[in-house]
Amino acid sequence: MSVLIVGSVALDSVATPHGKVDDALGGSATYFSLAAKLFAKDVNVVAVVGEDFPKRHTEMLLGKGINLDGLVVTEGKTFRWAGEYDESFGDPETLYTQLNVFEEFAPELPEHYCGSSFVFLGNIDPCLQRQVVNQIKAPVLVAADTMNFWIEGKLDELKALMGEIDLLLINALEVRMLSNDKSLLCGARKVLEMGPKVLVVKRGEFGVLMVTKDDLFVLPAYPIEQVIDPTGAGDSFAGAFMGYLASCGKIDFHELKRAVVAGTIVASMNVEGFSVERLANLSRKDIIERMEYFQEITEFTVPEFAG
Amino acid sequence: MSVLIVGSVALDSVATPHGKVDDALGGSATYFSLAAKLFAKDVNVVAVVGEDFPKRHTEMLLGKGINLDGLVVTEGKTFRWAGEYDESFGDPETLYTQLNVFEEFAPELPEHYCGSSFVFLGNIDPCLQRQVVNQIKAPVLVAADTMNFWIEGKLDELKALMGEIDLLLINALEVRMLSNDKSLLCGARKVLEMGPKVLVVKRGEFGVLMVTKDDLFVLPAYPIEQVIDPTGAGDSFAGAFMGYLASCGKIDFHELKRAVVAGTIVASMNVEGFSVERLANLSRKDIIERMEYFQEITEFTVPEFAG
């Protein structure tokens, strides 16, 4: 089944203790679509770039079989972000954000995108996210990301959106902001009451918590030797998560768990290189091998106690 | 097989957003021994208290079947600590630390303790930890805890100790201090080169990482609704970990993983009450039930991918 992503395509300048890149390919829709395409047959991108967007990036994405019919090229410059990570790889220091053509982004779906089954609303204005939902005819699963900026600035619109989606994918801080609860688990349950049937909480290097009304899943992050560039970790997680679900054809908690694992593994590989260099060169075999190893290093059995 | 713990027995005054206790039973040897006794038949305590130590605490511990022959009562007052946790349940603010009789603690093992099989050196001066190791005749497994204070102040003694123990149980910050490596996994491998065959890294609400030369285990924390008092989480983890190993009679990576799970589960229960109130009232059934649920909410299978 097909996956639709609405988000940003950007040119990122990123410095980490392991090197730097300038105007490298980035943006939520970029990371998402490359990760989703590892699993799903059809991946449809809705985004905007400026006339300066390098043709080689478009060609690379098209070469992967990603559908760019919804990638609008507009007069002006492409969204640019520059940031620097220190050795802790916590939140980066933003050096500049130039929204450029992204500032006026009003996602319009090509007609043939409106039948997409798995829809991911990247982190944009919740008003725009709702406009996208309304254009989809018969979605199987609608998921959304958001951020503190929208929780603080457009809470009413965000709450309206939450009534229209199936799954929310946010971080622990955002759960606390939305729920006003210091306990992550209690807060997560409060967020579920706002609408989504599934809440996936990204905890960065500490893994993922997934909560539904009846079920719970906790997964540590995949332990990697060396983070090279954490940019795109959340978006590649989301892409693999949605792509996996679209590929397996059914949504139950068992498959949702596997989708979290797929997301975790692909994100762990993405951060082992700058920009999309690692993501664009992954094979299915690499992913399966790491998934199997991950199972081995996380599984345990409950002992039988005498007496 | 028998477990020996050398550590503190204290009277803690703790305030958290959920209440407060004054001069409540605490100390590493207390939490450790109660947790270890849930699994192991013989638990031997080496610690010191003052003449003011309430008889009811001694009686409670004896009532659990914990061996207190090595609990010395000395002229003076018992070690006291007072701290306050805020809603984040990060590091507490210490209001006071009164070492009292603990300041002159020089652990002497009763003769019949010297045959203990599983030895845990609680977080005390590494010189004293080494003195204890030397008194044990034929240990099966010697484990130690330490802290930033000793890493900064007695690194040479600590390094000597590391050559004499099998297992080190520390937190992520301490791994970074010992290894000078920002990558937890690379740092952990460097710590293994200092002597211990097994390194268990406590990451608090984010779980545990266990590393040996050949194997790796990552486990998230058990997700609890509400932390009431985090005091003793690490020590109850250590106690259940060592107690479980002593009870199962063999040490391989499979059992080490189960020991980490046992530690995680008992620690998660300990923090659901003040002082030892929850720990002192746990049943084997409670533990098994939570272990089974924990397995359910963490396990996954690797999908078979077509194509």
Side-chain angles (χ1 to χ4, degrees):
Chain A
M1 283 193 267
S2 55
V3 178
L4 177 83
I5 164 72
V6 180
S8 61
V9 171
L11 296 173
D12 291 342
S13 295
V14 178
T16 84
H18 301 286
K20 62 195 283 287
V21 286
D22 290 311
D23 286 342
L25 180 58
S28 62
T30 304
Y31 286 105
F32 182 102
S33 61
L34 283 166
K37 196 66 187 72
L38 290 162
F39 301 92
K41 195 164 165 292
D42 297 307
V43 176
N44 304 323
V45 171
V46 179
V48 63
V49 292
E51 289 165 324
D52 61 342
F53 189 67
K55 212 176 160 185
R56 69 177 188 283
H57 295 328
T58 319
E59 282 165 358
M60 185 276 287
L61 294 168
L62 288 171
K64 295 285 173 190
I66 292 165
N67 190 339
L68 299 183
D69 294 348
L71 180 68
V72 177
V73 183
T74 280
E75 199 177 323
K77 293 180 79 179
T78 302
F79 177 24
R80 276 174 171 74
W81 176 79
E84 194 168 340
Y85 292 89
D86 68 16
E87 284 173 325
S88 72
F89 287 109
D91 290 330
E93 186 192 346
T94 291
L95 303 177
Y96 61 76
T97 304
Q98 300 167 357
L99 288 176
N100 299 328
V101 298
F102 194 61
E103 192 157 13
E104 301 294 320
F105 181 46
E108 293 255 342
L109 273 54
E111 182 59 32
H112 60 288
Y113 274 25
C114 297
S116 297
S117 303
F118 288 76
V119 178
F120 190 78
L121 309 166
N123 173 21
I124 56 175
D125 185 327
C127 305
L128 298 180
Q129 290 177 312
R130 293 186 71 196
Q131 283 174 25
V132 174
V133 178
N134 292 335
Q135 294 175 62
I136 303 290
K137 284 177 196 149
V140 174
L141 185 125
V142 178
D145 186 7
T146 191
M147 69 186 294
N148 51 359
F149 183 73
W150 307 120
I151 297 173
E152 280 162 356
K154 295 219 173 176
L155 189 57
D156 287 342
E157 275 295 328
L158 188 59
K159 285 190 170 171
L161 174 76
M162 288 214 275
E164 296 166 1
I165 61 174
D166 303 294
L167 188 147
L168 187 66
L169 182 70
I170 54 180
N171 68 33
L173 177 67
E174 290 152 6
V175 172
R176 292 202 174 98
M177 287 177 72
L178 275 172
S179 65
N180 274 317
D181 200 309
K182 298 282 177 180
S183 155
L184 185 59
L185 196 53
C186 295
R189 298 226 165 94
K190 286 185 186 168
V191 173
L192 285 183
E193 285 166 17
M194 298 175 186
K197 289 186 279 290
V198 185
L199 175 66
V200 179
V201 186
K202 299 175 284 183
R203 307 166 87 190
E205 63 168 313
F206 302 115
V208 175
L209 175 78
M210 178 166 63
V211 190
T212 67
K213 191 168 153 284
D214 300 314
D215 286 300
L216 189 60
F217 182 51
V218 275
L219 189 75
Y222 180 88
I224 56 171
E225 304 262 334
Q226 198 65 73
V227 173
I228 299 298
D229 172 13
T231 312
D235 298 313
S236 55
F237 174 92
F241 178 92
M242 294 292 280
Y244 174 75
L245 285 180
S247 77
C248 79
K250 63 175 174 178
I251 309 167
D252 55 23
F253 202 71
H254 180 67
E255 295 298 351
L256 282 166
K257 282 161 81 162
R258 287 172 155 183
V260 168
V261 175
T264 296
I265 293 303
V266 172
S268 78
M269 290 167 146
N270 176 58
V271 302
E272 290 177 332
F274 276 100
S275 177
V276 301
E277 65 188 21
R278 188 96 168 78
L279 199 54
N281 292 292
L282 284 184
S283 73
R284 191 68 75 82
K285 185 165 163 286
D286 297 331
I287 297 169
I288 294 172
E289 274 176 15
R290 189 170 281 195
M291 271 191 178
E292 284 169 349
Y293 180 62
F294 194 36
Q295 184 185 35
E296 190 186 316
I297 64 171
T298 56
E299 73 184 349
F300 63 87
T301 54
V302 178
E304 290 191 25
F305 293 101
Chain B
M1 284 194 268
S2 56
V3 178
L4 177 83
I5 164 70
V6 181
S8 60
V9 171
L11 296 173
D12 291 343
S13 295
V14 179
T16 84
H18 302 288
K20 63 195 282 289
V21 287
D22 289 312
D23 285 343
L25 181 58
S28 62
T30 303
Y31 286 105
F32 182 101
S33 60
L34 282 166
K37 194 67 186 72
L38 291 163
F39 301 93
K41 195 165 165 292
D42 297 307
V43 176
N44 305 324
V45 171
V46 179
V48 63
V49 291
E51 289 164 324
D52 61 341
F53 189 67
K55 213 177 161 186
R56 68 176 189 283
H57 294 330
T58 319
E59 283 166 358
M60 186 276 288
L61 294 168
L62 288 171
K64 296 283 174 191
I66 293 165
N67 190 339
L68 298 184
D69 294 348
L71 180 67
V72 177
V73 182
T74 280
E75 200 179 322
K77 292 180 80 179
T78 302
F79 177 23
R80 275 175 172 73
W81 176 79
E84 194 169 340
Y85 292 88
D86 69 16
E87 284 173 326
S88 72
F89 286 108
D91 290 331
E93 186 193 348
T94 291
L95 303 178
Y96 61 77
T97 304
Q98 300 168 358
L99 288 176
N100 299 329
V101 298
F102 194 61
E103 192 157 14
E104 300 296 320
F105 181 45
E108 292 256 342
L109 273 51
E111 182 59 31
H112 61 289
Y113 274 25
C114 297
S116 299
S117 302
F118 288 76
V119 178
F120 191 77
L121 308 166
N123 172 20
I124 55 174
D125 185 327
C127 305
L128 298 179
Q129 290 176 312
R130 293 186 69 195
Q131 283 175 26
V132 173
V133 178
N134 292 334
Q135 294 174 63
I136 303 291
K137 284 176 195 148
V140 174
L141 185 123
V142 179
D145 186 8
T146 192
M147 69 186 293
N148 51 0
F149 183 74
W150 307 120
I151 297 173
E152 279 163 359
K154 296 220 173 175
L155 189 58
D156 287 344
E157 275 294 330
L158 187 59
K159 284 187 171 172
L161 174 76
M162 287 212 275
E164 296 166 2
I165 61 174
D166 304 293
L167 189 147
L168 187 66
L169 182 69
I170 55 180
N171 67 34
L173 178 68
E174 290 152 7
V175 172
R176 292 200 174 99
M177 287 177 72
L178 276 172
S179 65
N180 273 318
D181 200 310
K182 299 280 177 181
S183 155
L184 185 60
L185 196 53
C186 296
R189 298 226 165 92
K190 285 185 185 168
V191 172
L192 284 183
E193 285 167 16
M194 298 176 186
K197 289 186 279 291
V198 185
L199 175 66
V200 178
V201 185
K202 299 174 285 184
R203 308 167 87 189
E205 62 168 315
F206 302 115
V208 174
L209 176 78
M210 178 166 64
V211 191
T212 67
K213 190 168 152 286
D214 300 314
D215 286 300
L216 189 60
F217 182 51
V218 275
L219 187 75
Y222 180 87
I224 57 172
E225 304 262 334
Q226 198 65 73
V227 173
I228 300 298
D229 172 12
T231 313
D235 298 312
S236 55
F237 174 92
F241 179 92
M242 293 292 280
Y244 174 75
L245 286 179
S247 78
C248 78
K250 63 174 174 178
I251 309 169
D252 54 24
F253 202 71
H254 180 67
E255 295 299 352
L256 282 167
K257 283 161 81 161
R258 286 173 156 182
V260 169
V261 175
T264 295
I265 293 303
V266 172
S268 78
M269 290 166 146
N270 177 58
V271 302
E272 290 177 331
F274 276 100
S275 176
V276 300
E277 64 187 24
R278 189 95 168 78
L279 200 54
N281 292 293
L282 284 183
S283 72
R284 192 69 74 82
K285 186 165 162 286
D286 297 331
I287 297 169
I288 293 172
E289 274 177 14
R290 190 171 282 195
M291 271 192 178
E292 284 170 350
Y293 180 62
F294 194 36
Q295 185 185 35
E296 190 186 316
I297 64 171
T298 56
E299 72 185 349
F300 63 88
T301 53
V302 178
E304 291 191 25
F305 293 101

